[in-house]
């Protein structure tokens, strides 16, 4: 029987993602014990949470540098340590050995599959993936996926828990490198890099092609429902029958790209140029402010997913 009653959460690793998860869990009223061995980690964590949400009381936040002590009284663990297979296998082995088998042990990993990081544990049925999007205190999506040894009960409880606290979890029925959302992003990045490399458009215009074009719709509906609407009364069937042959020729023509030194220099030079005279922290502030307003509006639009 896994946990039904989650009150206290262990957040292991308090870098970019762990800090943001801790902010979110505290904002939902959970007690949080965080852990990170880096010198000064507790001070940085408290400062970063206060910066994320200055109204948040920090009396429910505890800190232990030792992860085993941090998970002593928790019912749910969100792991956000370094993205290295051997590290995660060893950490999950330790967390598994020092927690009751009813405690859900979740990793935020972007690229390591749950079958890999659960493989050294004695009770792997409660070990699975809960991959967030940066920053998790703002972006609702979490990708949930079990490994070979994860129980269906643990997957269902994790989906139910994230839903209950206001996240929008999706379930992956199969483990796949990069999960779902990053694979979709990678497909887009590949073509964005290619278009710049080929001199078809500047990085600034490629960005505008998304942020002032399809990106506006994608924040509201995904590719399938947007395609359905593009098909008029005939929906996606009509759209694909009508425009599909043309799309096939674009698909056949898409670029292949290699992320090598040459590409990194080309993109960073161009994008540094594009940012000249602009304050990136102000851009991030505006992005986060507008994002929150948009999400508030979405919450009130009952026909949007
Ligand atoms: N950055 C992103 O956009 C993003 C998005 C989704 C998921 N993730 C995943 O989240 C995880 C963390 O990524 P990040 O970007 O926050 O990395 P990060 O480098 O910012 O943070 C990693 C933290 O782990 C700490 N750490 C090192 N050894 C540790 C140990 N033994 N126990 C506990 N903590 C330890 C480090 O001190 C550091 O603070 C990774 O698995 C990554 O794939 C990252």
């Amino acid at each position: 029987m896994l946990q039904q009653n989650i009150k206290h959460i262990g957040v292991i690793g308090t870098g970019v993602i762990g800090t943001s998860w801790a902010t979110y869990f505290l904002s939902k009223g959970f007690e949080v014990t965080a852990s990170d061995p880096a010198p000064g980690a507790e001070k940085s964590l408290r400062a970063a949470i206060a910066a994320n949400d200055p109204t948040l009381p920090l009396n429910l936040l505890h800190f232990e540098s030792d992860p085993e002590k941090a998970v002593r009284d928790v019912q749910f663990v969100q792991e956000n340590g370094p993205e290295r297979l051997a590290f995660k296998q060893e950490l999950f082995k330790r967390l598994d050995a020092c927690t009751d088998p009813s405690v859900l042990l979740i990793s935020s990993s972007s690229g390591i599959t749950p079958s890999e990081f659960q493989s050294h544990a004695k009770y792997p049925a409660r070990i699975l993936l809960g991959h967030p999007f940066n920053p998790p205190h703002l972006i609702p999506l979490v990708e949930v996926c079990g490994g070979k040894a994860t129980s269906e009960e643990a997957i269902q409880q994790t989906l139910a828990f994230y839903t209950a606290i206001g996240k929008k979890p999706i379930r992956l029925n199969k483990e796949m490198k990069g999960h779902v959302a990053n694979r979709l992003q990678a497909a887009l990045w590949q073509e964005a890099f290619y278009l710049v490399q080929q001199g078809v458009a500047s990085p600034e215009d490629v960005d505008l092609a998304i942020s002032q074009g399809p990106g506006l719709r994608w924040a509201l509906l995904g590719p399938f429902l947007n395609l359905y609407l593009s098909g008029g009364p005939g929906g996606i069937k009509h759209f694909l029958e009508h425009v599909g042959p043309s799309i096939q020729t674009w698909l056949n023509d898409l670029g292949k790209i290699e992320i090598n030194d040459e590409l990194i220099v080309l993109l960073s030079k161009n994008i540094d140029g594009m940012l000249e005279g602009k304050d990136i922290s102000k851009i991030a502030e505006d992005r986060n402010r507008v994002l929150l307003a948009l999400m508030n509006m979405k919450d009130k639009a009952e026909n949007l997913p």
Side-chain angles (χ1 to χ4, degrees), residues 2 12 26 34 40 58 83 86 88 94 108 118 122 152 165 176 181 193 199 201 210-211 250 257 286 291 295 304-305:
L2 289 161
I12 308 300
L26 289 167
L58 294 183
E83 182 74 352
K88 297 230 193 257
R94 284 170 69 195
S108 294
Q118 73 186 174
K122 201 165 157 196
E152 180 61 24
I165 65 168
M176 197 165 238
F193 296 170
I210 295 298
S211 66
W250 315 337
I257 200 93
D286 271 1
L291 187 66
M295 290 194 313
L304 294 183

Side-chain angles (χ1 to χ4, degrees), residues 12-18 35-38 67 79-83 87-88 91 94 107-111 131-134:
I12 308 300
T14 58
V16 175
I17 293 300
S35 178
D36 194 302
E79 178 277 329
N80 321 276
E83 182 74 352
F87 168 84
K88 297 230 193 257
L91 180 65
R94 284 170 69 195
S107 175
S108 294
S109 176
S110 304
H131 175 245
F133 259 70
N134 192 32

Side-chain angles (χ1 to χ4, degrees), residues 69-99:
K69 284 192 186 145
V71 299
R72 218 169 17 201
D73 299 319
V74 308
Q75 297 85 38
F76 186 97
V77 173
Q78 186 81 43
E79 178 277 329
N80 321 276
E83 182 74 352
R84 291 197 306 272
L85 175 60
F87 168 84
K88 297 230 193 257
Q89 282 173 331
E90 178 58 25
L91 180 65
F92 275 95
K93 184 179 167 190
R94 284 170 69 195
L95 296 175
D96 177 67
C98 70
T99 49

Side-chain angles (χ1 to χ4, degrees), residues 11 13-28 32 34 44-46 48-53 56 78 80 108 132-140 165 167 287-288:
V11 171
T14 58
V16 175
I17 293 300
T19 297
S20 182
W21 267 125
T23 305
Y24 191 75
F25 293 138
L26 289 167
S27 77
K28 296 291 166 188
V32 169
S44 315
L45 172 67
R46 288 184 182 272
I49 293 175
N52 284 343
D53 184 350
L56 210 55
Q78 186 81 43
N80 321 276
S108 294
F133 259 70
N134 192 32
H137 70 281
L138 295 181
I139 304 282
I165 65 168
K167 306 301 289 182
R287 184 200 64 174
N288 292 351

Side-chain angles (χ1 to χ4, degrees), residues 155-214:
I155 295 173
Q156 290 305 332
Q157 286 207 7
T158 303
L159 288 166
F161 172 68
Y162 282 137
T163 303
I165 65 168
K167 306 301 289 182
K168 295 275 184 191
I170 64 163
R171 180 182 180 155
L172 272 68
N173 300 317
K174 275 185 189 175
E175 298 176 273
M176 197 165 238
K177 202 169 271 308
H179 321 314
V180 168
N182 271 336
R183 290 180 72 95
L184 291 168
Q185 291 207 106
L188 183 72
W189 290 327
Q190 170 160 281
E191 192 58 18
F193 296 170
Y194 182 73
L195 290 169
V196 172
Q197 188 200 49
Q198 296 297 307
V200 175
S202 66
E204 198 159 14
D205 281 351
V206 169
D207 265 4
L208 284 173
I210 295 298
S211 66
Q212 293 294 348

